[in-house]
Amino acid sequence: MAYVKNLFEENFIQYASYVIRDRAIPELEDGLKPVQRRILHTLIENDDGRFSKVANVQGKVMAYHPHGDSSIYTALVNLANKEIFIEKQGNFGNLYTGHEASAARYIECRLKPITKDILYNPKITTFVPNYDGREKEPLTFRAKLPLVLIMGAEGIAVGMRTYILSHNIHEVIEAERKCLKGEKFQLYPDFPTGGLIDVSDYQDGLGKIITRAKMDTSDEKKIVITELPYGSTTETLTNSIEKAVKAGKVKIASIQDFTASEVNIELKLPRGVYTKDVVDALYAFTDCEQTVYCDLLVIKDNMPVRMTCTQIIEHHSKQLVGILKDELEVEKTELFEKLHMRTLERIFIEERIYKKIETMKTAEDVVKAVKKGFVPFKEELLRPVSDEDVDTLLKIPIRRISLYDINKNRQEVKAINDRLKEINKLLKHLVEYAISWLDAIEKKVDAATTKRKTKITNINTVDVKTVVKRDMSFKYDEKSGYLGTGVNSGEELMKVTPYDRVLFVRKSGIFSVTESPNKVFVGPGLRYCGLADKESLSKVLFTVIYKDPETQFIYIKKCKITAYIMNRDYFFAPDGMEVLHVDTRKNFTFTVNYVPKPRVKILTEKFKTDGFEEKSLKAKGVRVVAKEVESITVN
């Protein structure tokens, strides 16, 4: 049994780790999930500048992604709709209406040139074998921008979730630029569907935002929704409005959706209803206003970590400097080797070292002869001559030797030296170089498609209770004993809303507080029913007369209900007592009928309630008279 338990625990941990790291949570370094990384890697590897069928790309990505083509198709469409890395051709769906993209065989895509600038440099990227060992794929891209903030992400793993909102690429670049300069910066979300957002509680990516649809209310008899709140489509939005209309929460005569390349939902109002009367109700009862909670969870150093937007920008600023340094170092090494070979070629040809190998009989003698020929020129060499250098020199064709241009060689050497000086200068000023790189990449970003679409504003959320009208009939049927908004017969007690809390007192003296019930059985002889909000209860003074069955004495208690728990039964009197009467009048009189006994001449007596003091709900009542009481009559 212990073995089975350990087996399950071990396998579950492996499964949870796999889902967290390899499926649901994006990597901090490049902001991508594995399927997105594999799509971009495939597009980079097969990029020839022409469009390719998405179905063809799907098949090639499957060499790296072992989870089927449907997940690849969905991820590719979503990635293309981010409008950053992939150029689209064909129907990739509609972000506004929610209509899906065409089948993979009908749509095409190709890589945008900016992708390689941001993501790709195979000389400094770590590659690992794919799932079957036949191919190599990047462990992560060395991304020069914090894509996790630019694109956003959402995913549910085992025991954790991530919900990262997208941000404007220009604002992210500006934040990274300020971070490198040591200046303060602040980032807020931006969505492709536009709309309005309140970021007062965004908490740097770990709080929440309130998002609203943008409405044209210039016509007092018509409302036009021109931009969608985040997370909505025109279909989900109109459905929520229709439900609110059917429930009687919003008064709208007709809903017409004219959305195409831009959002256009027209709401016409009925006679006697105007725009100012409907707007707040739309925000309160429909998806025109929504609250979105954020959770910025990423994979950092192979572990899930919760970070803020500021921390991610700071991390990527250092990462950008590190990547640029690595690229310069690699280029410097390559130029050094190129300069070394140009020097070897010049000496090899000018000093006719190649002539010394003509009499050599073996390959070893040839190598020795070449190396010996370079000995007098040791001071000119950048490093010792290796066997690989000799092999390269020996492969120079005779035609090239005979047509060797010393001036061209000198120009190449000068260009290499100039570039090496420039690299050395850049290595000493990496932060300035990183800022200039950000300036250059921002110019390559398509300004028309990447400008801010969502407007930041202050939103005062609409309290549903203040918008809804108290127009639902609340009835009590004495015959059936039912109470509520769904009771058709009986007496109407008051008008309520679905959000009102109602207090009702049964004949037994038991009282409860519930939200406006549709239909609840309270029995005959309802003592009291009213609203249970603080303002209403503060005005109600309950006078309760109860009897002790053992002593036959009666007690009176005046009290107010100041606190309660919903849907719980309370009793006005102590346990075992019999409640005779509950009243909410300020003062009244009642007649006490005593138990007939010998030598008792007075069998009835009247009392006024104004002589008794108010007590707490839990306090015991005051004994009215020290005589056995048979009954009471309230006047």
Side-chain angles (χ1 to χ4, degrees):
M1 191 68 182
Y3 169 75
V4 175
K5 182 181 178 182
N6 293 335
L7 185 65
F8 271 103
E9 287 180 353
E10 182 180 341
N11 289 340
F12 179 77
I13 290 171
Q14 290 179 359
Y15 167 74
S17 300
Y18 171 74
V19 172
I20 291 168
R21 290 182 294 135
D22 295 337
R23 295 289 292 275
I25 312 299
E27 174 68 43
L28 173 61
E29 188 166 349
D30 59 10
L32 302 172
K33 296 180 183 180
V35 65
Q36 296 173 322
R37 188 177 302 113
R38 288 160 180 162
I39 289 169
L40 290 174
H41 173 64
T42 302
L43 288 171
I44 290 170
E45 288 292 299
N46 296 276
D47 181 36
D48 59 1
R50 297 185 296 176
F51 282 100
S52 299
K53 289 283 187 183
V54 168
N56 187 30
V57 176
Q58 268 183 280
K60 292 178 179 178
V61 175
M62 286 184 69
Y64 305 100
H65 195 66
H67 302 292
D69 60 344
S70 61
S71 61
I72 296 170
Y73 167 75
T74 304
L76 195 153
V77 169
N78 291 337
L79 199 58
N81 284 328
K82 299 290 184 182
E83 303 284 356
I84 300 174
F85 299 126
I86 300 174
E87 188 175 348
K88 305 177 293 184
Q89 186 164 277
N91 175 24
F92 273 73
N94 191 313
L95 291 176
Y96 301 137
T97 63
H99 292 157
E100 295 182 354
S102 298
R105 61 187 179 275
Y106 298 126
I107 54 179
E108 298 179 331
C109 67
R110 70 179 174 188
L111 203 69
K112 288 187 176 181
I114 196 173
T115 307
K116 293 182 180 179
D117 295 332
I118 297 172
L119 288 178
Y120 196 60
N121 190 333
K123 296 174 183 177
I124 61 170
T125 302
T126 302
F127 287 84
V128 295
N130 69 333
Y131 65 91
D132 63 3
R134 288 190 174 96
E135 305 287 345
K136 295 283 187 181
E137 62 176 315
L139 183 63
T140 60
F141 286 117
R142 300 291 300 279
K144 295 175 183 172
L145 290 178
L147 301 179
V148 72
L149 293 180
I150 295 171
M151 297 196 302
E154 59 180 286
I156 300 175
V158 179
M160 59 184 68
R161 69 184 282 269
T162 186
Y163 204 96
I164 306 170
L165 302 181
S166 60
H167 297 72
N168 185 272
I169 188 170
H170 296 284
E171 294 175 8
V172 171
I173 291 173
E174 178 61 22
E176 197 163 351
R177 192 185 289 120
K178 286 184 176 180
C179 183
L180 289 167
K181 292 179 180 178
E183 300 174 2
K184 291 184 178 180
F185 60 90
Q186 188 70 57
L187 275 175
Y188 296 116
D190 182 30
F191 309 121
T193 54
L196 311 174
I197 57 169
D198 186 328
V199 296
S200 57
D201 198 22
Y202 186 49
Q203 296 178 29
D204 209 10
L206 298 177
K208 65 179 181 180
I209 63 162
I210 300 171
T211 174
R212 276 184 174 180
K214 188 176 181 181
M215 300 181 185
D216 180 359
T217 57
S218 56
D219 188 336
E220 64 177 12
K221 292 297 294 177
K222 181 176 69 175
I223 297 173
V224 180
I225 298 174
T226 57
E227 292 181 13
L228 299 174
Y230 174 69
S232 295
T233 63
T234 54
E235 184 178 357
T236 60
L237 193 64
T238 53
N239 286 343
S240 71
I241 296 172
E242 287 172 358
K243 287 180 182 178
V245 172
K246 288 179 182 177
K249 297 175 181 177
V250 181
K251 292 183 178 179
I252 291 175
S254 67
I255 305 171
Q256 292 180 304
D257 186 1
F258 300 111
T259 301
S261 59
E262 293 182 355
V263 176
N264 190 326
I265 302 174
E266 188 178 281
L267 310 177
K268 291 186 177 179
L269 307 182
R271 183 178 299 176
V273 178
Y274 299 94
T275 298
K276 60 183 177 61
D277 305 321
V278 178
V279 171
D280 284 347
L282 284 171
Y283 289 139
F285 299 114
T286 73
D287 288 346
C288 288
E289 177 181 306
Q290 298 179 55
T291 301
V292 180
Y293 293 87
C294 318
D295 198 356
L296 215 164
L297 189 74
V298 294
I299 300 297
K300 180 183 180 184
D301 299 328
N302 216 29
M303 292 289 290
V305 178
R306 187 168 281 104
M307 301 179 71
T308 64
C309 293
T310 300
Q311 289 172 335
I312 288 178
I313 291 293
E314 290 171 348
H315 174 88
H316 267 274
S317 297
K318 294 177 183 177
Q319 182 171 301
L320 173 61
V321 171
I323 293 170
L324 294 176
K325 180 183 178 182
D326 290 346
E327 287 182 343
L328 290 173
E329 293 285 3
V330 168
E331 186 182 358
K332 183 179 179 180
T333 302
E334 291 176 344
L335 288 172
F336 184 86
E337 287 299 313
K338 190 175 181 180
L339 182 61
H340 175 68
M341 287 309 302
R342 292 295 174 269
T343 304
L344 290 179
E345 285 179 7
R346 178 180 59 79
I347 297 171
F348 184 72
I349 297 172
E350 275 191 335
E351 303 300 331
R352 307 176 74 84
I353 294 175
Y354 61 88
K355 286 288 185 180
K356 297 179 180 180
I357 67 174
E358 292 177 353
T359 58
M360 299 298 138
K361 303 294 184 182
T362 65
E364 291 181 2
D365 292 339
V366 170
V367 173
K368 288 179 182 178
V370 172
K371 286 185 177 181
K372 187 177 179 181
F374 279 102
V375 171
F377 311 100
K378 186 177 181 180
E379 297 299 324
E380 296 182 46
L381 301 180
L382 301 179
R383 63 169 174 79
V385 180
S386 66
D387 292 345
E388 290 77 13
D389 294 337
V390 174
D391 186 57
T392 303
L393 291 171
L394 293 175
K395 290 179 180 177
I396 298 175
I398 296 296
R399 180 180 179 82
R400 185 175 160 195
I401 292 174
S402 61
L403 297 175
Y404 183 70
D405 187 345
I406 186 64
N407 291 325
K408 183 179 179 182
N409 180 275
R410 286 172 181 168
Q411 289 174 2
E412 287 183 8
V413 169
K414 183 180 182 302
I416 292 171
N417 282 320
D418 290 344
R419 179 56 184 164
L420 283 171
K421 289 178 182 178
E422 186 181 353
I423 288 173
N424 288 329
K425 184 179 178 181
L426 292 174
L427 285 170
K428 292 179 182 178
H429 302 87
L430 282 171
V431 172
E432 291 81 355
Y433 177 41
I435 293 171
S436 66
W437 184 90
L438 290 171
D439 294 339
I441 202 69
E442 188 171 15
K443 292 178 182 177
K444 294 182 180 181
V445 176
D446 186 359
T449 60
T450 56
K451 63 181 181 181
R452 170 167 275 278
K453 296 180 176 67
T454 306
K455 182 180 179 182
I456 297 172
T457 184
N458 292 321
I459 295 175
N460 296 318
T461 55
V462 179
D463 186 355
V464 174
K465 297 177 183 178
T466 62
V467 177
V468 66
K469 293 184 178 180
R470 189 168 278 121
D471 56 4
M472 297 173 66
S473 179
F474 197 82
K475 294 182 178 181
Y476 171 62
D477 190 340
E478 177 73 28
K479 292 182 180 179
S480 65
Y482 280 100
L483 174 77
T485 56
V487 178
N488 296 322
S489 58
E491 177 190 1
E492 182 178 278
L493 303 180
M494 55 185 169
K495 296 285 188 181
V496 297
T497 73
Y499 306 99
D500 280 332
R501 294 181 176 183
V502 177
L503 168 74
F504 52 87
V505 183
R506 296 180 175 88
K507 184 179 181 181
S508 61
I510 295 174
F511 68 89
S512 302
V513 177
T514 66
E515 288 187 348
S516 301
N518 179 54
K519 196 173 184 181
V520 62
F521 182 76
V522 297
L526 182 69
R527 304 276 192 182
Y528 172 81
C529 183
L531 297 176
D533 57 273
K534 288 184 178 180
E535 184 180 353
S536 299
L537 288 180
S538 65
K539 299 176 182 178
V540 181
L541 179 65
F542 291 93
T543 301
V544 182
I545 303 172
Y546 64 87
K547 180 179 179 180
D548 186 342
E550 292 185 5
T551 63
Q552 300 293 305
F553 294 159
I554 63 168
Y555 299 82
I556 189 169
K557 179 170 72 171
K558 286 184 173 181
C559 62
K560 288 183 178 180
I561 298 173
T562 56
Y564 55 81
I565 296 174
M566 294 285 290
N567 302 309
R568 179 175 170 180
D569 289 339
Y570 293 89
F571 193 44
F572 274 117
D575 291 341
M577 300 296 108
E578 178 189 355
V579 174
L580 303 177
H581 184 70
V582 178
D583 211 307
T584 56
R585 290 178 291 175
K586 189 174 182 180
N587 294 304
F588 62 91
T589 61
F590 62 95
T591 302
V592 176
N593 303 309
Y594 297 121
V595 175
K597 287 187 177 183
R599 293 180 293 180
V600 176
K601 296 180 180 179
I602 300 175
L603 295 177
T604 61
E605 191 174 356
K606 284 189 176 183
F607 294 91
K608 292 184 177 180
T609 59
D610 57 359
F612 297 94
E613 294 183 357
E614 181 182 338
K615 291 194 171 189
S616 69
L617 181 62
K618 295 182 179 180
K620 189 178 180 181
V622 178
R623 188 172 64 183
V624 178
V625 62
K627 293 181 181 180
E628 295 180 6
V629 176
E630 186 176 68
S631 64
I632 65 167
T633 304
V634 178
N635 301 321

